Amino acid sequence: DYYSSGEYYIVKSNVISIQGRYLPTKFTNGLAVTKMVAIGGSLLKGNKLIIGPLSATWNGAPILTGFPSHFDQPDIVHADYDNVGNLVDTALDASKKKIVHVKINDGSPEGLLVQVNRWTASVGNEYVNFKITMHSRPDQDGHCGNFNGNAADDDRMAVRQRVGTQGVPAGPELLFATKTPVTTAGRPDINNCPTATLEAAKTDCKAAFGGMSPK
């Protein structure tokens, strides 16, 4: 439930940085969806892996260009692109699965896992959703929370208070080549709406309009 355009920390820690680029589509009434996921940090030994709905790159070079396909950097990361696995969002069409499975070597047998589901059926409205499976790290935070065992402080409002509202700063921490300006609309910001109020509004909109928000 994060709706502003920009690049934000999904996971920020001392050894791994996972960032999301959020942008709107014409179907989301100006609210942002996840368009790309970028992974970097010392676990990747200074390399950058970026996955979007239509392409993926390793240090800017295209990878996973076929379907299915594989990519491997020994002792660092392995990625598979196929239609195998469960959906992150079970409400979507399972017959159209396009999934990138990433396993990063973090010293554990299971590794740090990132699953990225690509949705490409509507031209111009492509997006991704994702699931991260990892061990907690010291000083971890980001839009996925701080992994301290207390779900209450992973509420959107609490996370925004801790990590800020302007996203990843321009400079060496930013894994993307450019930073999207974070703008403030001339109206109340849905990101500042308390969770309980927002969920009640979603329910009302669904009942009134047959969807999550008016069209």
Side-chain angles (χ1 to χ4, degrees), residues 9-17 134-143 145-148 162-163:
Y9 290 109
I10 299 170
V11 174
K12 180 183 181 182
S13 78
N14 59 339
V15 295
I16 190 76
S17 179
M134 64 179 289
H135 295 284
S136 63
R137 295 288 178 174
D139 301 318
Q140 180 174 331
D141 216 328
H143 282 181
N146 57 20
F147 218 154
N148 65 354
R162 290 197 306 270
V163 304

Side-chain angles (χ1 to χ4, degrees), residues 85-150:
N86 296 324
L87 295 177
V88 174
D89 184 348
T90 57
L92 297 173
D93 186 352
S95 70
K96 299 179 180 178
K97 288 191 295 186
K98 296 180 178 179
I99 305 177
V100 179
H101 308 268
V102 178
K103 181 177 181 179
I104 298 168
N105 182 5
D106 68 348
S108 69
E110 56 275 17
L112 190 159
L113 307 178
V114 183
Q115 175 183 320
V116 181
N117 287 36
R118 290 172 155 175
W119 300 102
T120 61
S122 177
V123 177
N125 294 287
E126 300 90 352
Y127 68 99
V128 301
N129 49 29
F130 58 90
K131 176 182 178 180
I132 300 168
T133 305
M134 64 179 289
H135 295 284
S136 63
R137 295 288 178 174
D139 301 318
Q140 180 174 331
D141 216 328
H143 282 181
C144 278
N146 57 20
F147 218 154
N148 65 354
N150 178 14

Side-chain angles (χ1 to χ4, degrees), residues 129-210:
N129 49 29
F130 58 90
K131 176 182 178 180
I132 300 168
T133 305
M134 64 179 289
H135 295 284
S136 63
R137 295 288 178 174
D139 301 318
Q140 180 174 331
D141 216 328
H143 282 181
C144 278
N146 57 20
F147 218 154
N148 65 354
N150 178 14
D153 67 9
D154 291 337
D155 176 82
R156 169 175 41 85
M157 300 291 284
V159 171
R160 281 167 59 83
Q161 186 173 31
R162 290 197 306 270
V163 304
T165 62
Q166 299 303 300
V168 183
E173 291 186 40
L174 184 67
L175 297 177
F176 296 96
T178 59
K179 179 171 173 60
T180 302
V182 178
T183 59
T184 302
R187 53 178 169 74
D189 187 345
I190 193 172
N191 292 286
N192 297 325
C193 184
T195 301
T197 304
L198 182 59
E199 292 305 315
K202 287 181 180 179
T203 300
D204 290 345
C205 282
K206 189 172 183 179
F209 300 100

